[in-house]
Amino acid sequence: MGYFDAASAAPLHPVARQALLASLDEGWADPARLYREGRRARMLLDAAREAAAEAVGCRADELVFTPSGTRAVHSGVAGALAGRRRAGAHLIVSAVEHSSVLHAAEVHEAGGGTVTQVPVDRTGAVDPTAYGAALRGDTALACLQSANHEVGTEQPVAEVAEVCRTAGVPLLVDAAQSLGWGKVPGDWSVLTASAHKWGGPSGVGLLVVRKGARFAPQGPGDERESGRAPGFENLPAIVAAAASLRAVRAEAAEEAARLRELTERIRARVPDLVPDVEVVGDPVHRLPGTVTFSCLYVDGEALLHELDRAGFSVSSGSSCTSSTLMPSHVLKAMGVLSEGNVRVSLPPGTPPEDVERFLEVLPGTVAAVRERLGAPAATRAAPESGGGLVVDAIGRRCPVPVIELAKVIGDVPVGGTVRVLSDDEAARLDIPAWCEMRGQEYVGEEPAERGTAYLVRRSA
């Protein structure tokens, strides 16, 4: 079985398993108590905090353990904003942040605050100068992920941190995807992470608030974890999380080089093996084990099911796999194709044979899904006559509107137009992305009697 979804949850590291089992016997007591069992538990908690702080590159008293990475983000954003409430109520986030950050931003906005989303380029990276332009006199906090969870693009954290530091604004970094590979550079103020992303157990997050950063914990007070993470600590899981973080860091350099070679193999060969594919994300500045691509004329859900039957567990940002029928906000912000999206995120230890078998299975799997959907061939002869056409794809979901567009574009002359009617939000992203991939001109959209009309001019 090829488990290729480590960006969602990495398999439990052997060291984490050993530490978890051992601490179940030694770390069950209340670490806040002064009797023998409590002191033993406190020693385990302190040692875990020291190990995690060393891996992050912070002081032990700056780091607390939370019940999850999401809780760390929510507590971090709320506490940092509250600590800076005299400065203002303006929050800056990137357009490709994890949903936990964007949800926290929505709550802040609903409470009367203001939020600015910084756009990204087609690789998914922000421009540090855009963060500088977004800064205002009332900016209380800026947020930026260290690396994107869907496409693997690494962000210029150090540069953005310097821009924010110069303006006196703290930067919160969501390091969930990258912390297992190394320390986050730059003069950031707050950092969050999640243990199950690096092979630790689920249910453990990290929240780091550097000395000097104004921070006011929100919610009912609690004496545990510096008042920043109320509730009884899940000590066995915390010990396992810290032990596994130390273990993966010891292996990180060698394993990163090995996984980069495997993902480079996928990035290079998929476009040769499968027609009409767009590989997305930064080709250089990206996580070692993550590669993402989108296949034209493919139902993302059907493709994932077929790959699962073939023995491969992958993820997708396609709207076809979502109950909302909306494409991934990350792919949307990047302006890339969303249909038939596949994210391969290799866990440490992935054998090259699994990658080779995936590359053998993928072409036939994509071809079978396309055939069932009636997709056009990869190339098509263009007739010399014909006029503008209307494609009525109302009520039909991705990738059907793009498939129908591709079938008829050759029936209009160069300079002629095709009007695609669709009520699927994915069309707003996928039709322009298709035009860019196939050398056609996307003219724009306009309201229609039903849904939206997307105008495409044939230029090739």
Side-chain angles (χ1 to χ4, degrees):
M1 183 70 178
Y3 179 75
F4 289 176
D5 195 22
S8 293
L12 192 66
H13 195 282
V15 169
R17 184 183 302 276
Q18 295 167 6
L20 182 64
L21 294 175
S23 57
L24 284 171
D25 292 329
E26 298 293 329
W28 51 268
D30 186 348
R33 301 308 173 194
L34 299 179
Y35 42 69
R36 181 187 306 108
E37 294 85 357
R39 294 197 304 271
R40 185 184 301 128
R42 169 57 66 179
M43 289 175 63
L44 289 173
L45 180 58
D46 289 345
R49 198 184 313 278
E50 290 281 355
E54 181 182 2
V56 171
C58 67
R59 293 169 39 149
D61 59 355
E62 294 174 330
L63 183 149
V64 299
F65 296 103
T66 66
S68 69
T70 295
R71 180 66 65 84
V73 166
H74 291 171
S75 299
V77 171
L81 285 170
R84 293 258 302 162
R85 58 185 176 274
R86 290 185 179 179
H90 178 231
L91 172 65
I92 301 174
V93 300
S94 83
V96 293
E97 293 300 309
H98 188 269
S99 58
S100 60
V101 175
L102 298 182
H103 291 161
E106 290 172 2
V107 170
H108 176 62
E109 197 166 26
T114 57
V115 178
T116 296
Q117 278 199 10
V118 176
V120 297
D121 61 22
R122 198 170 174 82
T123 71
V126 301
D127 184 346
T129 60
Y131 264 77
L135 290 167
R136 307 187 325 205
D138 63 340
T139 302
L141 177 68
C143 299
L144 179 63
Q145 60 191 191
S146 55
N148 187 259
H149 50 291
E150 288 194 25
V151 301
T153 297
E154 294 177 327
Q155 299 290 0
V157 173
E159 292 86 346
V160 171
E162 179 60 24
V163 169
C164 292
R165 188 196 64 78
T166 301
V169 174
L171 177 68
L172 182 150
V173 178
D174 170 17
Q177 292 296 332
S178 73
L179 192 61
W181 298 110
K183 296 177 182 178
V184 176
D187 192 14
W188 46 264
S189 300
V190 183
L191 180 142
T192 64
S194 187
H196 72 279
K197 303 292 187 180
W198 65 67
S202 58
V204 179
L206 303 183
L207 171 59
V208 180
V209 181
R210 277 181 162 159
K211 295 294 181 182
R214 292 188 174 274
F215 193 90
Q218 299 301 286
D222 194 289
E223 71 278 5
R224 297 179 185 273
E225 294 300 297
S226 304
R228 294 172 183 170
F232 197 99
E233 298 92 344
N234 184 352
L235 189 52
I238 287 172
V239 171
S244 58
L245 181 55
R246 174 180 285 179
V248 298
R249 279 292 190 81
E251 307 159 352
E254 182 178 352
E255 190 61 22
R258 198 181 70 83
L259 291 184
R260 283 191 190 279
E261 191 280 325
L262 294 179
T263 52
E264 285 293 347
R265 194 180 305 181
I266 297 172
R267 288 182 65 90
R269 290 177 58 185
V270 164
D272 292 335
L273 295 170
V274 183
D276 299 322
V277 164
E278 181 178 16
V279 181
V280 301
D282 195 292
V284 178
H285 303 292
R286 57 185 175 83
L287 294 170
T290 302
V291 57
T292 305
F293 55 89
S294 299
C295 307
L296 270 175
Y297 321 129
V298 170
D299 180 318
E301 186 170 10
L303 180 57
L304 263 60
H305 284 321
E306 291 301 319
L307 288 172
D308 183 42
R309 291 190 185 97
F312 294 98
S313 303
V314 298
S315 184
S316 173
S318 171
S319 61
C320 307
T321 63
S322 167
S323 60
T324 64
L325 296 176
M326 290 284 290
S328 149
H329 71 277
V330 172
L331 301 178
K332 186 175 181 180
M334 294 168 62
V336 297
L337 185 70
S338 76
E339 66 185 48
N341 179 259
V342 174
R343 180 188 67 183
V344 172
S345 49
L346 307 177
T350 299
E353 299 79 38
D354 283 1
V355 172
E356 286 300 320
R357 191 164 63 87
F358 174 77
L359 292 171
E360 291 174 4
V361 165
L362 183 66
T365 303
V366 173
V369 174
R370 283 174 171 167
E371 184 177 5
R372 288 203 301 269
L373 290 170
T379 58
R380 176 187 178 116
E384 295 181 357
S385 61
L389 295 176
V390 175
V391 171
D392 188 351
I394 297 294
R396 309 184 74 181
R397 301 304 178 193
C398 75
V400 174
V402 177
I403 289 176
E404 296 304 315
L405 166 63
K407 285 180 177 179
V408 304
I409 191 70
D411 296 337
V412 299
V414 173
T417 59
V418 178
R419 213 163 162 261
V420 183
L421 305 179
S422 177
D423 55 358
D424 183 358
E425 275 295 318
R428 179 167 283 111
L429 176 62
D430 289 347
I431 289 176
W434 178 88
C435 290
E436 181 159 336
M437 290 178 68
R438 303 314 297 261
Q440 308 297 346
E441 180 186 355
Y442 177 66
V443 178
E445 64 177 74
E446 58 189 23
E449 185 176 343
R450 292 181 301 152
T452 302
Y454 301 93
L455 190 63
V456 176
R457 180 176 292 117
R458 185 181 172 201
S459 58

